[in-house]
Amino acid sequence: MARRLRPSLYISVDIEADGPIPGPYSMLSIGAAVAGRQDADGYAAADPEADTFYRELRPVSDAFVPEALAVSGLDRDRLAVEGGEPAAVMGEFSAWVREVSTGAQPVMCGYPASYDWTFLYWYLMRYTGESPFGHSGCMDMKTLYATKARLPLRAVAKGTMPRELLSRRRHTHHARDDAIEQAELFSNLMAWEGKPSSGAV
C-alpha cells in the first residue's frame, strides 16, 4: 500500500536586513504570506493577503552596511528601542507557521530564497533552537523559473520573465508587502506550464 504524502504549504517569506550575513548583521523585519497548498491533486493558490505575518526586530549588533540599511528605509535607532526581541519574534513566527500549516508540511519560498533563508534559518536556530521548515524546507523561485523556462540560472531576473507571471503589486521593500507580491509570483510560476522544449511540435 503506497504511503500517502503530506501536502506542502508554501509560505512566501521576505526579510529586510542591514548587511549581507546574519550574526555580524541584523534582520530588521520579517514578512510572510501563505502562497498556496500542493497535494497529490495539484497546487491551489491562496489569497496572499488572507494569512500574513509581519514584525520588526531589535538589531543584534552595532554593525551595519549603510547601503543595505537604505534599501529598507528602517531606522535602527528606533528599532533598538521599539523592535521586538529576536527570541520573542521568532517564537511568534514559528507558532504562526505551525498554525497556518496544520495538516501540511510548511515550505518557505523566496525570490531569491538564498538571502532570506540564510537569515531566517540562522535566526530560528539561534533564538528558538528549531525550524518549522526543517533544515532544507525552502524553494527558490529563481530556480523554479529557470527550470521551467529552460534558462541558465544566472540569466534569470524578473525582467526576463513573461509579464503575466509577475505580480501587479509594487516591490516596496516592506517585508509584508514584498512577501505578498512574491506569493503571487510563486502561484503564477506553479501554474505556468513553462517554455516548450525545442523538439515540441
Side-chain angles (χ1 to χ4, degrees), residues 150-171:
R150 302 176 183 269
L151 288 173
L153 181 63
R154 300 290 289 193
V156 172
K158 285 185 180 177
T160 68
M161 295 183 178
R163 182 166 293 183
E164 63 269 19
L165 292 179
L166 302 175
S167 171
R168 295 182 180 179
R169 302 172 190 267
R170 285 194 316 116
H171 194 78

Side-chain angles (χ1 to χ4, degrees), residues 54-78:
Y54 179 75
R55 297 288 188 279
E56 295 179 351
L57 296 86
R58 177 183 57 78
V60 298
S61 77
D62 293 330
F64 67 94
V65 177
E67 294 82 3
L69 185 61
V71 170
S72 69
L74 291 166
D75 184 334
R76 277 178 52 93
D77 292 336
R78 177 182 67 80

Side-chain angles (χ1 to χ4, degrees), residues 38-125:
Q38 185 180 28
D39 59 21
D41 296 323
Y43 177 80
D47 174 357
E49 294 184 321
D51 290 304
T52 64
F53 181 94
Y54 179 75
R55 297 288 188 279
E56 295 179 351
L57 296 86
R58 177 183 57 78
V60 298
S61 77
D62 293 330
F64 67 94
V65 177
E67 294 82 3
L69 185 61
V71 170
S72 69
L74 291 166
D75 184 334
R76 277 178 52 93
D77 292 336
R78 177 182 67 80
L79 292 177
V81 177
E82 299 177 4
E85 289 295 322
V89 171
M90 300 318 292
E92 291 172 11
F93 176 73
S94 292
W96 177 81
V97 170
R98 291 189 173 96
E99 180 183 350
V100 297
S101 62
T102 300
Q105 292 179 306
V107 178
M108 175 270 195
C109 56
Y111 185 97
S114 52
Y115 181 76
D116 302 270
W117 175 258
T118 298
F119 275 88
L120 177 65
Y121 187 69
W122 189 91
Y123 266 73
L124 285 167
M125 297 306 295

Side-chain angles (χ1 to χ4, degrees), residues 171-194:
H171 194 78
T172 65
H173 292 291
H174 181 285
R176 179 183 177 274
D177 292 348
D178 291 353
I180 292 171
E181 176 215 353
Q182 290 172 178
E184 290 187 339
L185 171 61
F186 182 79
S187 290
N188 292 341
L189 285 169
M190 290 294 280
W192 187 48
E193 293 184 358

